Amino acid sequence: STVTDQSYAGEDDIVRPLVVQVDIESEGAVRRQGDELVIVLPKSENLSKYISLPERKLPLQLGLYLSLVQTEEEVVLPEGYEVKYVPIDTSLENPFFTFVRTVKKEKDKVVLKLKYATKKQLIQPEEYTDFRDAVSQVVESLGQDLILKPKKK
């Protein structure tokens, strides 16, 4: 992947969120499957590392601070293609985090919005199974890709 452009807004304002815009070109982000194009969407490798154990004997430290990550991604449809499949909208609310992903089809693009807000910094061993199940749902949701098909002539 290559970053082709980037910009920042709000870096001098401690009250408002920092806004980062990055334009990326990636050859590996699209693969052909017959006549269709599969757009590989960002996955959740970072979350997966937290649930690699079947159980825990010690608490799991998620970070020093509670965090909020919000992203918006646009996939511009190539000429001659239309959407065949979009990932389903997902909304999870639990004691550990809030996760929301929405996917909206527009005329010539697909807009994906994601929000992930942590509620706890430390997961106790007795909470780990529930935490692991919740993260598994996020990983499954983020495992879905966008599929485009040729427009009918």
Side-chain angles (χ1 to χ4, degrees), residues 26-107:
S26 178
E27 290 183 27
V30 178
R31 71 177 189 271
R32 287 204 171 273
Q33 192 170 304
D35 288 347
E36 299 172 349
L37 298 178
V38 178
I39 311 293
V40 180
L41 301 173
K43 304 295 180 216
S44 56
E45 290 83 10
N46 289 340
L47 286 175
S48 296
K49 70 182 179 184
Y50 292 115
I51 60 169
S52 60
L53 299 175
E55 63 180 37
R56 293 195 65 87
K57 297 191 185 322
L58 298 172
L60 172 62
Q61 180 76 45
L62 297 179
L64 296 177
Y65 307 101
L66 298 178
S67 64
L68 169 64
V69 175
Q70 290 181 292
T71 63
E72 181 174 320
E73 301 164 28
E74 291 184 0
V75 176
V76 178
L77 301 179
E79 190 173 319
Y81 282 87
E82 62 186 1
V83 174
K84 175 181 179 182
Y85 175 81
V86 296
I88 59 171
D89 289 350
T90 305
S91 181
L92 300 169
E93 186 77 34
N94 56 57
F96 314 109
F97 57 81
T98 298
F99 173 80
V100 178
R101 181 174 74 177
T102 59
V103 183
K104 182 178 177 188
K105 291 188 284 186
E106 295 183 3
K107 181 181 178 189

Side-chain angles (χ1 to χ4, degrees), residues 16-33:
R16 291 197 171 94
L18 173 66
V19 176
V20 179
Q21 179 171 335
V22 181
D23 293 340
I24 299 173
E25 288 184 7
S26 178
E27 290 183 27
V30 178
R31 71 177 189 271
R32 287 204 171 273
Q33 192 170 304

